[in-house]
Amino acid sequence: MIKVIDKELAWQLRHKVMWPNKPFDFIKIEEDDEGTHYGLYEGEELVSVLSLFVQGEQAHFRKFATLTNYQKRGFGSQLLNHVLDEATSTGIKRIYCNARVNKASYYEKFGFSKLGDTFNKSGKDYILMERYLLK
């Protein structure tokens, strides 16, 4: 089941998956209050989260994380497809993310293209990726 969740639930999973060795507040972002946070549940357990930030006809998704023991089982793909469908149905024309370089091929499977050069943030290499959405 996929539903909109509170940012605090997204924070817990983000911290556990993305930056467990950093202080808890490291995984929070200033824009969290303006975002829509989606969660995918397997039974009662929250296993994947993604936060979407809409700016006009564009949207930026951030902090996409799936519990390690649920990765490579299609849960993240279900969540990403859901968010792409939601964005399309609400009139979003372009969606983008800062993808970890080692995950770029994953996003390419969803129609995302690399844009620009790689950059380093907090010791990890990223690349901007985008996809144009059609209704």
Side-chain angles (χ1 to χ4, degrees), residues 2 13 17 20 44 53 55 57 63 83 101-102 108 112-114 118 127 129 133-134:
I2 297 171
L13 197 134
V17 174
E44 298 294 315
F53 303 89
Q55 308 109 10
E57 292 185 337
K63 306 298 184 187
V83 170
V101 169
N102 65 336
E108 288 172 334
F112 284 82
S113 301
K114 295 176 187 172
T118 62
I127 188 160
M129 297 190 74
L133 304 174
L134 304 172

Side-chain angles (χ1 to χ4, degrees), residues 30-42:
E30 277 185 46
E31 300 85 3
D32 272 330
D33 286 334
E34 290 91 54
T36 302
H37 309 281
Y38 293 89
L40 182 143
Y41 286 82
E42 176 68 1

Side-chain angles (χ1 to χ4, degrees), residues 105-117:
S105 62
Y106 173 80
Y107 293 106
E108 288 172 334
K109 290 188 259 182
F110 291 89
F112 284 82
S113 301
K114 295 176 187 172
L115 187 67
D117 297 324

Side-chain angles (χ1 to χ4, degrees), residues 81-99:
N81 276 322
H82 177 83
V83 170
L84 291 171
D85 289 345
E86 288 275 310
T88 301
S89 70
T90 59
I92 299 300
K93 303 271 190 263
R94 175 181 176 257
I95 191 164
Y96 65 98
C97 69
N98 294 327

